Amino acid sequence: MGLATSALFGPTPVPEAIGLCERQLADDLRERSTEGIICCMVARLHAMNGDASRAREHYRRGRSLLHELGQGVFAASTGLDVAAVELLSGDLGGAEAQVRTDLELLQRMGETYFLASMASYLGFLLRAQDREAEAFRLSELAEQSAAADDADAQALWRALRAPLLARRGDLSVAEGLAREAVNLAGRTEAPILQADSRRELARV
């Protein structure tokens, strides 16, 4: 699974990363839970490659498998993959329903590691639907839930909130948050997070 994670979040070109992950899935993995998680990872890659149909096929397969195995937290965490796919592929309402269910489950379970990022991703889905007040509240939930040393989650809530503040006219605060997100993302080895943070700074 570590190899698939590196392929998705690291600098590997998307077509090459898809091939690597698909080969892992074809190797008849012993742990079905690992298979489910990798399916959801490769769903993101197919969405990045412009293939929404295959992306949805993979995340549906992966999530179904994880739910079947009773993988509560891990099954819910794949809401992040659904959101990432549909922010690229366009089914914002469908993704919102799934991610909201996953977020509520994590809240009931008292889980916070995935919760912070999940709240931000749901916020991005709502912001894309022009539901800015709801998106702002989710940025607050993400801020409250994010661990101080979780650079990914800390960058995400700032990147979500900054354009919302800019639209309200709070330009200096918005730019400050957006630049903090870029700096936090820069401490990671995740090119996608770095690019997304710069995009939100450009929005501001």
Side-chain angles (χ1 to χ4, degrees):
M1 189 167 68
L3 193 60
T5 302
S6 297
L8 171 60
F9 294 108
T12 307
V14 168
E16 184 180 333
I18 289 173
L20 189 153
C21 291
E22 294 283 15
R23 285 193 296 274
Q24 282 195 296
L25 291 173
D27 282 343
D28 193 20
L29 295 168
R30 293 182 180 180
E31 291 190 15
R32 297 184 72 212
S33 58
T34 300
E35 178 184 346
I37 292 168
I38 293 176
C39 277
C40 292
M41 288 183 184
V42 79
R44 292 200 197 204
L45 291 165
H46 281 301
M48 292 163 63
N49 207 38
D51 193 339
S53 177
R54 293 193 72 184
R56 289 169 182 145
E57 175 187 332
H58 275 77
Y59 78 60
R60 287 168 183 159
R61 171 185 162 194
R63 282 166 65 80
S64 176
L65 185 54
L66 290 167
H67 282 294
E68 178 186 323
L69 294 171
Q71 297 289 320
V73 169
F74 285 117
S77 74
T78 61
L80 296 169
D81 303 300
V82 174
V85 166
E86 297 302 348
L87 282 165
L88 292 171
S89 302
D91 185 6
L92 301 176
E96 177 195 342
Q98 295 185 66
V99 176
R100 191 179 295 280
T101 297
D102 291 333
L103 178 69
E104 291 170 353
L105 175 62
L106 294 176
Q107 287 179 302
R108 289 196 301 272
M109 296 176 73
E111 197 284 336
T112 58
Y113 177 74
F114 293 114
L115 177 65
S117 295
M118 189 82 69
S120 288
Y121 268 94
L122 180 56
F124 283 117
L125 289 166
L126 295 175
R127 198 185 74 183
Q129 298 176 73
D130 296 322
R131 291 156 62 186
E132 296 187 1
E134 293 174 83
F136 193 93
R137 287 194 293 273
L138 282 160
S139 79
E140 293 176 321
L141 173 60
E143 179 184 9
Q144 294 160 9
S145 306
D149 61 351
D150 187 341
D152 186 286
Q154 292 287 349
L156 281 171
W157 74 257
R158 288 170 168 84
L160 169 62
R161 187 183 300 173
L164 297 172
L165 289 171
R167 290 172 190 168
R168 295 180 179 183
D170 296 334
L171 299 180
S172 61
V173 177
E175 183 177 350
L177 274 182
R179 291 193 182 280
E180 287 176 15
V182 169
N183 290 335
L184 285 161
R187 299 176 192 172
T188 73
E189 297 181 358
I192 297 172
L193 179 64
Q194 293 167 8
D196 287 349
S197 299
R198 290 181 181 277
R199 181 192 61 218
E200 298 306 328
L201 174 59
R203 288 184 195 276
V204 170

